[in-house]
Amino acid sequence: MREVRIRTLVGLFALAVVLSWAGARLWNALGTLPAVPVAAPVVLAGIAAVLAATALSLRSRLRAQRERRPGAKGVEPLMAARAVVFGQASALVAALVAGAYGGTGLYLFTTALDVAARRDQAVYAGLSVLAGAAVVAAAVFLQRVCRIPEDDDEPPAAAAA
């Protein structure tokens, strides 16, 4: 299984920011801009907390398993693979969602901070971007925790075959 690269996540974020900013500008010109939900940063922060808790739990269990501590509860490989897939999917979606809220927040920040409702929407969008970054960080941490250590005994050519 390949790791999700930070470069890919940053590219998705940047693309979503540009598209969302342009969409917010167009939508505002045609009528009213949809509101940024108050729950968006809360939900993203919750996902980040779940990912971080999973990573910390797996890290301690894997460390105990590698050190062969008596009574250590092992980690099934399928469970670790599922955790990595969950983290990768969360990171990709969080990069897109944070970019979408970032573009909307950027538009609101540059055009309408004098209106109290728009200022609140810009704050919610900014908090959503921060919470999305926390999801990405927790997902990358989970991915690193579940990485299989390289075997030093095999030469690199034999491992690739």
Side-chain angles (χ1 to χ4, degrees), residues 7-96:
R7 183 178 18 192
T8 303
L9 297 172
V10 170
L12 283 173
F13 175 78
L15 179 67
V17 165
V18 170
L19 291 176
S20 177
W21 176 81
R25 190 171 172 203
L26 177 65
W27 201 316
N28 196 41
L30 296 175
T32 60
L33 186 64
V36 177
V38 178
V42 174
V43 170
L44 287 170
I47 293 170
V50 168
L51 285 169
T54 302
L56 292 173
S57 172
L58 285 174
R59 183 177 70 169
S60 67
R61 288 172 61 187
L62 285 170
R63 183 177 295 148
Q65 187 177 1
R66 286 182 188 132
E67 293 173 357
R68 301 191 192 284
R69 292 184 196 156
K73 186 176 180 183
V75 177
E76 294 180 23
L78 188 58
M79 186 182 87
R82 286 180 181 157
V84 169
V85 169
F86 171 59
Q88 288 177 347
S90 298
L92 291 169
V93 171
L96 287 172

